């Protein structure tokens, strides 16, 4: 009697054009590896995530350029996804407030299955395009908003329903998918392909596909924040000192940007309500907090412009 192979070969599997669903032929004995070799294989495979984002840099740049006018006019960032992709979107949205003082009401995260799905999978929620459309409409997305739709497969019905509804509402749509030629990329005005290929653990897109999504979202949102004046040089000057860790960071950033002593920098930060960018302008131009705030407001929040240094394009 001939027994079937312990691990089915490619011929035993149905064809699927999505590369993220393919079985990586190089790791059929993954479960036989020792711990050192296993960890090395998993770590090495993550390098493909970085390369996928590097290849997508032009598409990410186009998305940044398209999104900037809407956000500068007060629009919102709305992230949507299911499973790992949804959780990564919520993470990126959440981190914008402590990092860049981005108003939390202008960074929304929608995930198939609602908030409960952040910590526990909600089975079947991602299979309903009408649910995605309903969630999108419930937050009142309109022409001023930027919607970032994320799906490793590029075929998730919930994400597709929401993305199509966002585009119909006039919002700018940015689509991140890990498979070429997928419906999500076709549905969005700014498609971003993160072509990471098969996973070491076949089908587990929380691995390098998820890593590529995390890097791409970091890159996209950070680039937006830089261009919106949330950074001076490479200093995170729109941070507010809301806890002891951030207070120490704010003091360090203020001193680095101005050359001020500790006592002088601390006094400026106190007068500025812990806002580094205001303290920076105060110290560099010898202004009080109200005058510095007014100067920043007139400069659209850009510290370089407020300081009379101007911005360079490049």
């Amino acid at each position: 009697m001939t027994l079937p192979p312990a691990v089915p070969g490619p011929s035993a599997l149905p064809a699927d054009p999505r590369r993220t669903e393919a079985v990586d032929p190089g790791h059929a004995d993954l479960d036989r590896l020792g711990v050192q070799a296993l960890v090395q294989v998993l770590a090495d495979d993550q390098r493909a995530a970085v390369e996928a984002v590097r290849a997508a840099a032009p598409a990410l740049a186009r998305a940044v350029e398209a999104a900037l006018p809407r956000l500068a006019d007060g629009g919102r960032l709305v992230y949507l996804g299911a499973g790992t992709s949804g959780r990564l979107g919520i993470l990126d949205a959440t981190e914008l407030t402590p990092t860049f003082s981005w108003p939390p009401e202008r960074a929304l995260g929608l995930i198939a299955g609602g908030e409960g799905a952040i910590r526990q999978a909600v089975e079947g929620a991602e299979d309903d395009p009408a649910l995605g459309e309903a969630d999108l409409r419930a937050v009142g997305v309109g022409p001023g908003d930027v919607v970032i739709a994320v799906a490793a497969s590029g075929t998730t019905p919930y994400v597709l329903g929401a993305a199509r509804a966002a585009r119909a509402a006039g919002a700018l749509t940015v689509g991140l998918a890990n498979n070429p030629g997928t419906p999500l990329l076709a549905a969005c005005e700014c498609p971003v392909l993160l072509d990471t290929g098969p996973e070491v653990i076949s089908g587990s897109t929380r691995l390098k596909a998820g890593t590529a999504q995390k890097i791409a979202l970091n890159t996209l949102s950070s680039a937006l924040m830089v261009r919106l004046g949330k950074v001076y040089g490479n200093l995170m000057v729109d941070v507010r000192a809301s806890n002891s860790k951030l207070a120490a960071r704010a003091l360090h950033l203020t001193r680095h940007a101005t050359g001020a002593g500790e006592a002088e920098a601390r006094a400026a930060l106190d007068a500025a309500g812990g806002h580094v960018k205001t303290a920076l302008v105060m110290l560099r131009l010898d202004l009080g907090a109200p005058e510095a705030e007014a100067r920043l407001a007139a400069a659209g929040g850009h510290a370089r412009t407020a300081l009379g240094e101007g911005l360079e394009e490049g």
Side-chain angles (χ1 to χ4, degrees):
M1 178 178 179
T2 302
L3 295 175
V7 179
S11 62
L13 300 173
D16 191 323
R18 297 171 298 181
R19 284 166 46 77
T20 56
E21 304 304 312
V23 176
D24 190 331
H27 301 290
D29 293 323
L30 187 73
D31 57 342
R32 294 180 174 178
L33 297 179
V35 171
Q36 182 65 41
L38 175 61
V39 169
Q40 194 68 56
V41 165
L42 290 167
D44 285 349
D45 198 54
Q46 293 286 332
R47 291 182 295 187
V50 177
E51 293 307 314
V53 179
R54 285 174 58 86
L60 287 166
R62 287 191 291 271
V64 170
E65 290 169 349
L68 277 170
R70 302 188 193 220
L71 298 179
D73 285 343
R76 299 175 297 174
L77 283 165
V78 181
Y79 299 75
L80 60 94
T84 298
S85 300
R87 295 182 192 104
L88 289 171
I90 288 170
L91 176 63
D92 202 66
T94 303
E95 290 181 342
L96 293 180
T97 298
T99 307
F100 299 110
S101 294
W102 187 254
E105 65 274 13
R106 293 182 62 195
L108 310 181
L110 303 178
I111 184 170
E115 290 191 7
I118 297 172
R119 294 188 60 86
Q120 185 171 350
V122 178
E123 300 299 334
E126 69 177 57
D127 297 329
D128 189 351
L131 180 59
E133 181 177 350
D135 284 355
L136 196 285
R137 293 190 186 283
V139 297
V141 165
D145 296 322
V146 177
V147 173
I148 304 173
V150 190
S153 66
T155 60
T156 307
Y158 173 91
V159 178
L160 285 170
R164 287 167 178 158
R167 192 162 184 180
L172 177 72
T173 50
V174 180
L176 275 61
N178 296 81
N179 287 296
T182 46
L184 181 60
L185 297 178
C188 294
E189 293 164 86
C190 296
V192 179
L193 170 62
L194 304 169
D195 193 358
T196 45
E199 297 284 1
V200 167
I201 299 176
S202 297
S204 181
T205 51
R206 63 177 288 272
L207 296 176
K208 68 172 176 278
T211 301
Q213 291 174 0
K214 177 69 166 70
I215 298 171
L217 290 171
N218 277 168
T219 301
L220 177 61
S221 62
S222 296
L224 286 167
M225 294 300 115
V226 170
R227 299 303 294 171
L228 289 167
K230 301 292 185 178
V231 172
Y232 175 69
N234 64 341
L235 305 180
M236 194 175 71
V237 294
D238 237 339
V239 65
R240 285 186 181 272
S242 57
N243 59 39
S244 57
K245 177 188 73 176
L246 291 178
R249 186 175 293 167
L251 181 62
H252 171 74
L253 291 169
T254 302
R255 295 188 65 189
H256 183 89
T258 64
E262 181 176 344
E264 186 182 13
R266 195 182 299 278
L269 280 168
D270 288 343
H275 189 204
V276 174
K277 189 159 58 174
T278 302
L280 161 65
V281 175
M282 290 170 62
L283 290 167
R284 291 281 293 273
L285 299 181
D286 193 22
L287 299 173
E291 293 84 0
E293 290 170 354
R295 195 172 182 107
L296 280 165
H302 290 269
R304 281 204 188 276
T305 304
L307 294 171
E309 297 174 357
L311 296 172
E312 293 183 5
E313 295 292 333

